[in-house]
Amino acid sequence: MSIMRELSPLSPDANQQLRFALLGPLQAWRGDTGLELGPVREQALLACLLLRPGRTVSRPQLLDGVWGPEPPGTGDRVIPVYVHRLRRRLDAAVIETVPGGYRFAPAGAGVDVDVARCEEIAAEGRSARESGDLDAAVEAWSRALELFRGEPLAGVPGPFAEGERLRLVEQRLVLVQGKVDCQLRLGRHGEAVGELYSLTTAHPYNEALAALLMRALQAGNRQADALDVYATVRRRLVDEQGVEPGAELRRVHEAVLRGDDAQPSGPRRAGAARPERRVRHELPVEIGNFTGRERELGLLAATADARVVTVRAVDGMAGVGKTALVVRAARALRERYPDGCLFLELHGHREDRETAGRQRVLRRLLRAVGAGEGQDSEDLDELAASWRAATASLRLLLVLDDAARAEQVRPLLPAGSGSMVLVTSRRRLTGLDADRRISLSPLGIDEAAGLLTRIVGGDGSDRERAAVRELAALCDRLPLALRIVGARIQDRPLWAVEDLVVRLADGERRLDELAVEDRSVEAAFRISYDQLPAPEQHAFRALGLSPTVRLDRLTLAALLDGTPAEAGRRLESLADASLVQRVTADRYRLHDLVAAYARRVAVASPDEAAAGRSGVFRLYAAAARCASDWGTSSPTGPRGTGPFADWEEATVWLDAAGGELVDVIARAAATDHLDEACWIAEGLVDYLTRQGRFHECRTALEMLLPLAGRAADRRMVSALRTGLGMMYGLQGRYEQARAWFTEALDIGRRAGDAREQAMAAAGLGTFANLEGRISESMTHFAEVARLVGELTDDDWLTGSVMTRVGDIHHQLGEYDKAYDRYLDAIAVAEKTGSPRLHGKTLLRLGGLQLDLGRPAEAVGTLGKAEDLAGRLGDVPLYSAVLGRLATAEADLGNPQAAAELRRRSRAMLDEQTGTASEIAIRHRLLWHGAVAEDLAGARDFFERGTALPDADANRARISRVLDDIGRRRGGR
């Protein structure tokens, strides 16, 4: 949040609730006042955030969600602009900027979203139906349906909105079907017929709606009308889609023909012979306090194809709640399977039981369906054939819990059409043909805290709720851990909850605390680990040493001292075993508790751990230096660029690490890899400052400064201070920058280190020039030039000096000399692959060409600078280039192009904190706006810039001039 937003007064409506409606055209209100939401693309971005409450949404995700395969020319740089406009229209507190992107944060902000309210009411209806209160279910679902005001997200463009529109339309149909089904069971068929006629017209191929309409008409003694509905739907399906109606619609049709009750009761197939037996329902007792998982339950309980055997598989890490989920789903499904519901524990991951043999399991299944033939055989194929024969005429629901592998499951599949098999496993059973696969993650934090609250009871005070929520987070939201913790503190006083929070906060003790009687989180993880092949066990131990939560194949390759391809295969295998989680196509993560176990097993191999840590920290040092404009010229530390082809590849890799870079440096320092910590921090100065991430840069450098004296690389004592000087100078805080550069210069002189002296003196000269102290700047650069003469292999520093000398010649009006120095610097930058030096020098050369009256040449030069700045993600540089391009277009007689370039430049700065160059850009753009008679735009832009550092000197003068211009124009 910018300083300007923090200081702005609250609006009169600030205490009124903010409401969003997406179940129709996208609308918003503050209290009773409707809010303008802007153009449809901005509405699409808002929808992307509103429908992912509490979740971080990255710029690439927003770009894909709003524009899909045809992004705007500005790429994801347009995203901050849209976010800024939405914040101004709504409330800055609603959309948070977080590491990695943006987040809609309704909690605590007094925000109501109709989609969330609809889901809550729908859950009430499901709960009422499960408890047998059908009237309450009808009432709840009717309230939920009233929230729909037409087509959801009507008129909102983009792939994300289109997908959500389909999902919400489907959700509405599910609500209608549930409500109508309950109405029919209650005998209230008259209420349903009109609505169903309307819906079947709107959804002419929806067989479920047609079946409901036929049931309602049959219940109202309108058999002929019911048969007409079937005839119409069948004709439409056959003529237009070439298929016959499905099993459920045919069953209702047959019931209407016979005059039977058309309620779904799962009748036996006509003429199907079967042995007389007692139908078995073997589901285990359902655990209490089942929480969440509504989406997963919906997927598991969805209607299946009656012509085939349907297999649905659930995988996930140990203790994530797979069994509880499938048992809940099976209870919802079992009425559809008249021949029974069987449950088998396969013991694929039980410490106290060996994996169940397939022959023994098949004999158990044969007994369950009353088939004696073939039970005594020991041959697997013969037993499987007997099982298929015994189930050919049955419609069964079979739950296979805790399978070890796909080949354990395949012989157990029944043969009866319409049967369903639900399988759970810690591994992703890719060798099993399944129509749906669900990879289960831990609960959301709200669901986890709710589950724990229901287990432990308590007084419900704010203090207790906060403690329970923190406890749920420390349990990594894992249901097994939550139930263990709940058992330990059940019905105990609040101090017991808070005491356990303190103990669990110790990462080394956490697994020890998560055990009670025969249940243990660590034991559950140990079984998964023990079943891994040796190479995967080694990889898992290595992951326990990772300094970041998210990781990729380069990280694991560095930890293993192996190849990226080999590391990628290990990660995929661990993901299939549910010991790591895929986050994106090439990024993975360990859940907190799994990471704690990985660290524990890694400690048992100290030599392996030392080598792994050294490898991964050197990887980060290589990435930081490769992404830095000056880092590859460092005379100490690792040489080369590691696995990165160029600065762009290294930058992308560091971008994926998000806000964890400071954690990497802290971990390196804490594990006695101080030199690597300093090399990483030094390299990241350029990378972080060009993105405006000054806080992270300062945190890393200040953390290491007291430790630098202990580093083997003595250069770091001076280099870290130079980094702080660069960081403060780029923020326009020249006094602090000067102090750090001076310290660094003195240390470099005492150490006789010519390069560090030159770096510090160059910093002093650069910012003295920006402050207008030309003579002092020239003195510093004279010293730099002398020192650079002593260095034989530092091309970057040579090129940087050339650029600064060119600046001085330019300021003194010595244009020919400036031109030559800029060209020399560009040649060096191209040779060394230093994109920032290259881009900044091109910007200066373009400015010089403008001063020489050659705007056409300037356009070509600045166009190259624009491309580099965009690839770098350097917002101040990019904005400055656009500003100079605006001047060039104006000089060429293109005022509209110039105005558009100024607008783009202003928009880019609106989301940034201040830097010295940004302040200058703002002032220049402001005067252009005033001169172009866009006084309102100039005034608005000025107001947004007044909170920037170093703006004080010009604020009063600019404000007075703008006021004077306004008065004079008003008097015309």
Side-chain angles (χ1 to χ4, degrees):
M1 182 185 297
S2 72
I3 298 173
M4 194 66 188
R5 284 197 293 270
E6 288 183 310
L7 297 180
S8 61
L10 292 174
S11 68
D13 295 327
N15 294 322
Q16 293 184 325
Q17 186 181 41
L18 187 61
R19 294 181 291 121
F20 293 98
L22 299 95
L23 299 175
L26 180 55
Q27 293 178 287
W29 298 267
R30 169 75 67 185
D32 295 327
T33 303
L35 301 178
E36 171 60 42
L37 295 179
V40 290
R41 292 288 182 189
E42 291 179 24
Q43 294 183 33
L45 187 143
L46 177 61
C48 288
L49 295 170
L50 291 176
L51 290 169
R52 294 175 172 123
R55 290 165 52 193
T56 298
V57 187
S58 67
R59 286 191 187 184
Q61 286 176 308
L62 291 171
L63 202 66
D64 290 342
V66 176
W67 283 275
E70 298 181 359
T74 56
D76 67 2
R77 294 186 296 276
V78 72
I79 301 299
V81 178
Y82 280 16
V83 170
H84 171 73
R85 292 173 181 167
L86 287 169
R87 282 173 171 157
R88 294 183 65 192
R89 294 188 183 101
L90 302 170
D91 180 346
V94 173
I95 302 177
E96 297 178 342
T97 299
V98 294
Y102 301 93
R103 180 170 61 205
F104 168 55
V111 179
D112 175 81
V113 181
D114 63 352
V115 173
R117 190 149 31 94
C118 181
E119 290 171 352
E120 291 172 3
I121 299 170
E124 291 177 20
R126 286 190 293 271
S127 178
R129 181 183 61 186
E130 289 171 8
S131 67
D133 191 346
L134 300 185
D135 285 306
V138 170
E139 190 275 331
W141 285 331
S142 297
R143 284 191 288 118
L145 288 165
E146 287 172 359
L147 296 173
F148 286 84
R149 300 168 293 108
E151 182 183 56
L153 296 169
V156 178
F160 179 82
E162 181 60 28
E164 288 298 293
R165 187 156 37 243
L166 294 173
R167 180 181 71 84
L168 294 169
V169 167
E170 184 64 26
Q171 181 177 320
R172 180 171 183 264
L173 290 177
V174 169
L175 288 172
V176 170
Q177 291 169 29
K179 183 192 75 168
V180 170
D181 181 71
C182 290
Q183 287 174 323
L184 296 179
R185 292 175 186 274
L186 290 165
R188 294 161 55 181
H189 50 83
E191 301 174 15
V193 170
E195 183 175 18
L196 285 171
Y197 264 123
S198 175
L199 285 169
T200 52
T201 300
H203 303 276
Y205 302 106
N206 190 309
E207 295 183 44
L209 290 174
L212 285 170
L213 177 56
M214 291 176 67
R215 286 171 53 196
L217 292 169
Q218 166 77 344
N221 295 318
R222 297 171 60 182
Q223 184 183 35
D225 291 337
L227 294 173
D228 283 344
V229 170
Y230 179 81
T232 300
V233 172
R234 182 183 180 278
R235 183 169 56 253
R236 187 178 292 128
L237 291 171
V238 172
D239 293 347
E240 299 177 21
Q241 298 192 345
V243 296
E244 289 285 346
E248 175 62 14
L249 191 58
R250 293 200 309 271
R251 185 195 66 76
V252 173
H253 177 236
E254 291 168 5
V256 173
L257 287 172
R258 293 193 304 268
D260 293 343
D261 183 359
Q263 298 286 358
S265 58
R268 295 180 176 178
R269 294 180 186 81
R274 69 186 68 174
E276 288 298 323
R277 65 180 185 86
R278 181 171 57 88
V279 173
R280 295 176 64 128
H281 292 286
E282 299 178 345
L283 289 176
V285 175
E286 191 170 11
I287 60 170
N289 302 312
F290 184 90
T291 300
R293 310 296 197 197
E294 296 296 334
R295 184 186 70 84
E296 291 86 354
L297 280 170
L299 290 172
L300 289 176
T303 302
D305 189 339
R307 297 168 294 182
V308 298
V309 175
T310 299
V311 179
R312 290 176 179 167
V314 179
D315 61 83
M317 62 191 290
V320 79
K322 301 181 292 295
T323 302
L325 173 66
V326 296
V327 168
R328 171 60 65 97
R331 289 191 176 277
L333 285 166
R334 67 181 181 182
E335 290 185 4
R336 305 181 197 174
Y337 298 91
D339 298 310
C341 177
L342 306 181
F343 181 93
L344 277 89
E345 167 62 77
L346 299 180
H347 307 304
H349 302 86
R350 284 282 298 274
E351 192 171 33
D352 57 340
R353 299 284 294 273
E354 64 180 45
T355 301
R358 288 175 288 179
Q359 288 91 334
R360 180 161 57 84
V361 170
L362 282 166
R363 284 194 287 271
R364 151 87 166 77
L365 287 170
L366 286 166
R367 289 194 300 272
V369 297
E373 183 179 350
Q375 280 192 43
D376 296 331
S377 175
E378 291 295 329
D379 184 78
L380 176 63
D381 291 339
E382 186 175 340
L383 284 167
S386 297
W387 168 243
R388 290 193 297 272
T391 57
S393 61
L394 304 181
R395 190 159 77 238
L396 288 170
L397 175 60
L398 176 60
V399 179
L400 300 174
D401 189 41
D402 195 22
R405 54 197 181 278
E407 54 266 32
Q408 185 185 19
V409 172
R410 282 195 291 265
L412 312 181
L413 301 179
S417 299
S419 293
M420 179 178 287
V421 182
L422 302 179
V423 186
T424 75
S425 177
R426 295 187 190 180
R427 299 192 63 84
R428 188 170 175 83
L429 302 178
T430 53
L432 186 66
D433 292 330
D435 82 323
R436 295 192 180 175
R437 299 182 192 275
I438 296 172
S439 292
L440 210 56
S441 300
L443 297 167
I445 186 61
D446 292 333
E447 294 171 334
L451 172 59
L452 197 51
T453 298
R454 285 192 285 277
I455 295 172
V456 303
D459 58 14
S461 64
D462 289 343
R463 178 181 165 191
E464 183 181 69
R465 282 197 297 272
V468 166
R469 192 175 183 85
E470 186 173 0
L471 199 56
L474 290 169
C475 289
D476 204 17
R477 313 179 317 283
L478 191 68
L480 173 62
L482 293 167
R483 293 185 184 282
I484 289 173
V485 164
R488 291 186 59 180
I489 62 175
Q490 209 160 26
D491 299 323
R492 292 189 181 182
L494 175 60
W495 64 262
V497 180
E498 294 175 330
D499 178 62
L500 191 53
V501 167
V502 172
R503 296 203 298 276
L504 284 175
D506 182 348
E508 300 307 313
R509 292 178 53 192
R510 191 176 303 175
L511 289 174
D512 298 328
E513 297 291 343
L514 293 175
V516 60
E517 296 183 356
D518 62 339
R519 291 193 293 177
S520 163
V521 171
E522 181 175 3
F525 293 159
R526 186 188 310 119
I527 298 168
S528 294
Y529 172 75
D530 287 344
Q531 293 184 353
L532 293 173
E536 275 70 23
Q537 288 185 343
H538 183 195
F540 182 73
R541 292 193 299 272
L543 294 180
L545 307 172
S546 173
T548 58
V549 173
R550 292 192 176 197
L551 42 93
D552 68 341
R553 63 182 196 152
L554 292 185
T555 305
L556 183 56
L559 288 163
L560 295 172
D561 191 22
T563 66
E566 178 188 8
R569 289 191 293 271
R570 299 284 176 263
L571 282 167
E572 283 298 300
S573 181
L574 291 171
D576 287 341
S578 297
L579 284 170
V580 301
Q581 177 191 23
R582 294 180 186 87
V583 180
T584 64
D586 57 358
R587 284 269 159 176
Y588 302 79
R589 64 160 289 166
L590 292 173
H591 285 289
D592 293 347
L593 295 178
V594 178
Y597 180 69
R599 289 193 295 272
R600 180 163 290 187
V601 295
V603 168
S605 305
D607 293 341
E608 188 179 278
R613 286 197 179 99
S614 179
V616 77
F617 292 136
R618 285 180 174 266
L619 172 68
Y620 274 91
R625 287 184 166 187
C626 190
S628 165
D629 215 40
W630 63 77
T632 53
S633 64
S634 299
T636 57
R639 310 303 297 173
T641 60
F644 306 103
D646 53 29
W647 65 267
E648 286 186 285
E649 194 171 292
T651 297
V652 169
W653 190 79
L654 289 171
D655 288 346
E660 294 190 83
L661 293 173
V662 175
D663 295 335
V664 173
I665 296 169
R667 182 71 67 86
T671 54
D672 295 325
H673 289 80
L674 188 54
D675 285 292
E676 286 88 347
C678 291
W679 295 331
I680 297 168
E682 179 194 29
L684 287 176
V685 170
D686 180 67
Y687 168 80
L688 292 173
T689 55
R690 73 182 181 229
Q691 297 185 15
R693 294 160 65 178
F694 298 110
H695 176 73
E696 292 173 67
C697 185
R698 182 173 67 252
T699 299
L701 293 170
E702 290 180 348
M703 171 176 58
L704 293 175
L705 206 59
L707 308 174
R710 292 168 24 207
D713 187 350
R714 306 303 301 166
R715 188 177 63 82
M716 289 297 106
V717 178
S718 175
L720 296 180
R721 287 169 167 80
T722 296
L724 281 165
M726 293 292 291
M727 186 269 301
Y728 280 115
L730 289 170
Q731 287 183 287
R733 299 164 69 176
Y734 298 133
E735 186 176 345
Q736 294 98 317
R738 193 158 47 246
W740 286 113
F741 282 132
T742 301
E743 275 193 42
L745 183 59
D746 290 343
I747 293 169
R749 284 171 176 165
R750 291 197 298 273
D753 189 327
R755 183 181 185 280
E756 291 309 312
Q757 291 179 67
M759 292 287 287
L764 285 168
T766 296
F767 294 109
N769 184 284
L770 285 174
E771 289 182 275
R773 302 197 309 274
I774 308 301
S775 176
E776 180 183 335
S777 176
M778 292 175 68
T779 301
H780 286 303
F781 276 110
E783 181 178 7
V784 174
R786 177 184 62 79
L787 291 164
V788 169
E790 302 175 19
L791 305 171
T792 59
D793 59 352
D794 199 324
D795 290 334
W796 179 86
L797 192 54
T798 300
S800 183
V801 171
M802 288 176 180
T803 297
R804 298 305 178 185
V805 171
D807 290 345
I808 293 171
H809 286 309
H810 191 171
Q811 289 166 323
L812 295 175
E814 299 170 349
Y815 290 165
D816 289 344
K817 293 180 179 179
Y819 206 94
D820 290 341
R821 294 293 76 75
Y822 288 150
L823 290 179
D824 290 342
I826 288 170
V828 171
E830 289 176 335
K831 173 187 173 184
T832 58
S834 300
R836 202 176 193 192
L837 174 62
H838 194 180
K840 286 166 31 175
T841 309
L842 285 169
L843 171 65
R844 288 167 166 79
L845 178 60
L848 176 59
Q849 289 166 334
L850 288 173
D851 290 345
L852 290 169
R854 288 144 56 179
E857 288 183 32
V859 167
T861 301
L862 293 168
K864 297 176 184 176
E866 179 186 11
D867 177 64
L868 275 170
R871 288 159 57 199
L872 275 165
D874 190 326
V875 173
L877 175 60
Y878 196 93
S879 186
V881 171
L882 292 180
R884 300 303 278 163
L885 276 169
T887 301
E889 291 291 351
D891 290 350
L892 289 169
N894 301 320
Q896 290 184 335
E900 173 61 17
L901 286 163
R902 285 193 294 271
R903 183 196 64 75
R904 287 173 56 199
S905 184
R906 286 198 300 264
M908 293 203 66
L909 291 178
D910 280 344
E911 285 289 312
Q912 300 299 312
T913 56
T915 67
S917 59
E918 180 186 336
I919 295 161
I921 297 163
R922 281 183 176 273
H923 291 168
R924 182 164 60 251
L925 289 170
L926 176 66
W927 293 120
H928 278 302
V931 170
E933 305 208 2
D934 180 14
L935 185 60
R939 166 67 71 184
D940 177 65
F941 188 62
F942 168 67
E943 293 296 340
R944 294 200 298 278
T946 53
L948 295 174
D950 263 29
D952 290 334
N954 294 297
R955 181 183 298 124
R957 178 175 64 85
I958 294 174
S959 185
R960 285 197 301 273
V961 171
L962 287 174
D963 288 342
D964 182 58
I965 293 173
R967 283 193 298 272
R968 284 189 281 108
R969 290 181 181 170
R972 288 178 183 175

